[in-house]
Amino acid sequence: MPFQAPETHELGHNVRAGYFSQNRLDVLNAEHTVLVEAMEMRAHNPALTEQTARTLLGAFLFRKDDVHKKIGILKRRGEIPPRARRLLLAPPNLLLMDEPSTHLDIPSTDALIAALQAYPGTLIFISHDVYFIRALRQERAAHRTPAD
């Protein structure tokens, strides 16, 4: 069967979707610092200040001079992905995440979980990380296994 391009669908009135890819670091500039990547979100959130960005980065264990680390270094370490922080600086109201805890160390996974627990929008994620899934599950959450 030949490949067919997917149809385009409107998600709904005022839906702003954000996508967090499993290959998320490939779309970032390795020469940028964490703070520069964060501040680029002003295009989507004009009210974003450096102080707000630094506060969020601090929640992800980037304090003081840590915000000047280059993205290229983070690709080799298990720190919270810059793309996740960018999404939280200009949050969509629908967040789609593909394996968000892959390659994260435990403190970074916990920081991501805390941020997502406070996220007011709709969250849809795919994960094989049982710790991550259990931390985010809710009474009405849909959980599918391959047998479903």
Side-chain angles (χ1 to χ4, degrees), residues 27-103:
V27 299
L28 300 174
N29 185 333
E31 294 303 313
H32 282 182
T33 66
V34 172
L35 184 58
V36 168
E37 281 291 326
M39 294 309 295
E40 283 189 353
M41 293 311 295
R42 280 189 197 163
H44 303 287
N45 181 0
L48 178 66
T49 65
E50 183 173 332
Q51 183 59 43
T52 303
R54 283 178 171 271
T55 299
L56 179 69
L57 293 172
F60 287 107
L61 310 177
F62 283 91
R63 297 186 174 93
K64 298 183 182 180
D65 288 340
D66 289 344
V67 299
H68 299 295
K69 290 180 180 178
K70 291 196 174 190
I71 299 298
I73 292 171
L74 301 181
K75 288 183 179 185
R76 297 185 295 270
R77 297 177 56 187
E79 297 187 32
I80 189 73
R83 183 72 181 133
R85 293 188 304 271
R86 285 176 54 122
L87 285 171
L88 295 169
L89 288 165
N93 54 19
L94 171 62
L95 186 53
L96 309 165
M97 303 184 90
D98 180 13
E99 297 288 354
S101 61
T102 299
H103 306 300

